[in-house]
């Protein structure tokens, strides 16, 4: 039996990355089990999927808390109650306080739809198209105080094609996200991705050299 880390996935909406992580965790040799899906929105579409899959879910509605601190304290308490060891943000649209980020330092990861450090923040696909970049992509990283910053675990490159719209590009990047995030969580949960001097070191060098081009270049 391999040791599986107890993971909470934090979502705010669709939850397609959460589904990808849940799918990966169905493999008994995957080193993470999804022990909790937590949403700040009761209407998050991903919640229904998690419930139907038999995963424990929680809603902690940020609007019911007067401050960011009290909201984060409630989330932290729920995570500890569920004996969570790792947190995966997956389209969670709240900025966490520094205290919360510090409490989960090197135990909280995120997926972002760009090749960081380019295009932090929102509307990444629109901005990439406006700049005329030819390669776009996605990044999984450890969470730090600054939004969409922190040691990079893995990245996937996605070509920008002639005639792309924000919708077509975002759909192509999302497919890469669904491959990349389970890969990144696997590296972290198995202990093979470690932070040294604010850089991620991957223990197995074959795993480190896995920049994906999706779809493969012809
Ligand atoms: C994804 O593009 C993710 O990279 C970003 O928010 C989006 C969430 O999509 N952080 P989903 O809820 O996982 O489908």
């Amino acid at each position: 039996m391999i040791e599986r880390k107890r993971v909470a996935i934090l979502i705010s909406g669709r939850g397609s990355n959460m589904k990808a992580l849940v799918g990966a965790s169905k493999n008994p040799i995957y080193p993470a089990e999804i022990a909790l899906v937590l949403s700040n929105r009761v209407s998050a579409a991903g919640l229904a999927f998690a419930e139907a899959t038999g995963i424990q879910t929680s809603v902690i509605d940020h609007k019911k808390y007067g401050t960011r601190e009290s909201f984060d304290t409630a989330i932290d308490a729920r995570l500890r109650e569920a004996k969570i060891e790792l947190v995966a943000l997956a389209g969670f649209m709240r900025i966490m306080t520094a205290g919360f980020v510090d409490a989960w330092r090197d135990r909280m990861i995120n997926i972002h739809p760009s090749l960081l450090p380019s295009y932090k923040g929102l509307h990444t696909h629109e901005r990439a198209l406006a700049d005329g970049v030819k390669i776009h992509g996605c990044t999984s990283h450890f969470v730090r105080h600054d939004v969409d910053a922190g040691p990079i675990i893995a990245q996937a490159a996605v070509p920008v094609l002639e005639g792309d719209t924000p919708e077509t590009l975002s759909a192509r990047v999302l497919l890469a996200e669904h491959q990349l995030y389970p890969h990144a969580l696997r590296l972290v949960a198995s202990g093979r991705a470690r932070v040294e001097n604010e850089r991620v070191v991957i223990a197995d060098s074959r795993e480190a050299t896995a920049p994906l081009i999706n779809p493969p270049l012809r």
Side-chain angles (χ1 to χ4, degrees):
M1 274 294 279
I2 64 149
E3 197 206 330
R4 281 155 75 81
K5 289 270 192 289
R6 290 176 65 78
V7 174
I9 306 177
L10 272 53
I11 64 169
S12 296
R14 179 177 58 182
S16 70
N17 278 287
M18 178 267 293
K19 283 185 196 171
L21 295 178
V22 168
S25 73
K26 290 207 169 124
N27 183 338
I29 63 162
Y30 193 75
E33 64 171 299
I34 309 309
L36 178 69
V37 169
L38 189 154
S39 172
N40 65 309
R41 288 206 182 109
V42 72
S43 59
L47 276 177
F49 169 85
E51 275 160 21
T53 317
I55 295 171
Q56 215 182 118
T57 61
S58 281
V59 176
I60 298 187
D61 182 350
H62 61 279
K63 294 195 289 301
K64 294 193 176 145
Y65 294 82
T67 61
R68 292 203 307 142
E69 283 74 14
S70 58
F71 172 65
D72 284 4
T73 299
I75 293 185
D76 190 64
R78 183 70 194 95
L79 297 176
R80 288 177 196 281
E81 183 187 38
K83 301 199 174 358
I84 296 304
E85 298 167 284
L86 291 173
V87 175
L89 305 181
F92 187 64
M93 300 304 283
R94 306 303 300 171
I95 295 173
M96 320 302 294
T97 56
F100 184 90
V101 171
D102 288 343
W104 291 91
R105 188 182 173 91
D106 296 345
R107 296 186 299 146
M108 179 158 59
I109 66 176
N110 183 38
I111 179 93
H112 181 75
S114 78
L115 289 173
L116 292 173
S118 292
Y119 307 116
K120 297 176 178 178
L122 299 174
H123 310 300
T124 57
H125 310 300
E126 286 87 336
R127 288 153 58 209
L129 286 174
D131 285 343
V133 301
K134 302 300 183 203
I135 300 283
H136 189 40
C138 50
T139 303
S140 177
H141 62 95
F142 284 102
V143 176
R144 292 292 184 261
H145 294 173
D146 291 339
V147 174
D148 300 328
I152 291 172
I153 304 158
Q155 294 185 298
V158 174
V160 178
L161 303 180
E162 219 45 63
D164 259 339
T165 63
E167 291 71 32
T168 60
L169 182 56
S170 107
R172 193 176 311 115
V173 171
L174 196 62
L175 289 177
E177 291 182 42
H178 296 163
Q179 294 180 51
L180 186 74
Y181 211 17
H183 170 69
L185 179 60
R186 186 160 53 85
L187 291 175
V188 173
S190 65
R192 275 176 295 155
R194 282 177 298 101
V195 182
E196 282 178 21
N197 300 320
E198 285 301 86
R199 300 282 180 278
V200 172
V201 178
I202 310 285
D204 183 336
S205 59
R206 283 168 305 174
E207 298 271 18
T209 55
L212 309 168
I213 300 279
N214 187 317
L217 293 175
R218 283 181 291 274

